[in-house]
Amino acid sequence: MLTNWMAAPARLLCVAATAFSFGVGCAGSFYYGPRIQKERLALVHYKVQLAIAHAQLTEAQTKVVIQTEIQYRERIKIVKEKGDTIIKEMPVYVTQADTANFGVNIGFVRHYNAAFSGEPAGAASDFDRESPGISLAELAEVNALNANVCWQWREQALGLRAFYGQLQQTRE
């Protein structure tokens, strides 16, 4: 236990330390308070600017998506219509007489299927010379349909490339 002559300076020291801490705290809040408030307002302003920029970017990208979709659908519709017309006109270009005069053999069918599968047709044999029962008109119709699908894929690839390029421009 402290004696009386030691307790008084200790109490005085505690009171002085408390008063000093209180004074520094008050002075610090008066000095740093406005600065902290200013920085908080600047942060809020920055976040608002980011939100506005993000909203503008989203709106621009949405316009690009809608515009590209409309253009793509119109192009695909035109390609399909042209392909359907070509398929319907096939009997004009390949008649029954043509089918009777010109035959398609199994070797041709195997080679044709190999081209679309990406795998080799294999070694040729005597069996390849026989008739598969496919008319020249059917072959022409299938070929026109395949060509039409390829054109649709082409249009889709071009549309996606244009779409990506326009999306990149909205970010600039």
Side-chain angles (χ1 to χ4, degrees), residues 8-37:
R11 282 188 199 146
L12 185 61
L13 187 58
C14 282
V15 170
T18 303
F20 180 75
S21 296
F22 182 72
V24 167
C26 289
S29 69
F30 288 124
Y31 181 72
Y32 290 111
R35 291 176 113 184
I36 291 172
Q37 184 65 22

Side-chain angles (χ1 to χ4, degrees), residues 62-136:
T62 302
K63 286 179 183 177
V64 167
V65 168
I66 292 169
Q67 177 186 8
T68 304
E69 173 118 9
I70 290 169
Q71 289 174 351
Y72 168 73
R73 286 181 186 262
E74 287 298 316
R75 289 193 320 218
I76 291 297
K77 182 181 175 187
I78 291 169
V79 168
K80 282 183 178 181
E81 288 172 357
K82 286 182 179 181
D84 290 344
T85 301
I86 291 170
I87 291 169
K88 286 177 186 174
E89 291 178 350
M90 190 274 313
V92 173
Y93 297 101
V94 181
T95 64
Q96 290 294 338
D98 295 329
T99 300
N101 291 332
F102 303 102
V104 176
N105 62 19
I106 291 177
F108 179 86
V109 174
R110 284 182 58 213
H111 187 265
Y112 185 84
N113 290 340
F116 276 96
S117 70
E119 297 294 326
S125 68
D126 291 335
F127 180 69
D128 288 336
R129 303 293 163 244
E130 294 180 17
S131 174
I134 298 174
S135 71
L136 197 58

Side-chain angles (χ1 to χ4, degrees), residues 7 25 32-34 50 68 71 88 124 143 156 163 168 172:
Y32 290 111
L50 281 179
T68 304
Q71 289 174 351
K88 286 177 186 174
N143 199 37
Q156 182 178 10
F163 171 68
Q168 292 302 101
E172 295 172 357

Side-chain angles (χ1 to χ4, degrees), residues 21 45 51 58 77 87 125 138 158-159 166 170:
S21 296
H45 180 69
T58 302
K77 182 181 175 187
I87 291 169
S125 68
E138 288 175 309
L158 291 174
Q166 290 174 351
T170 60

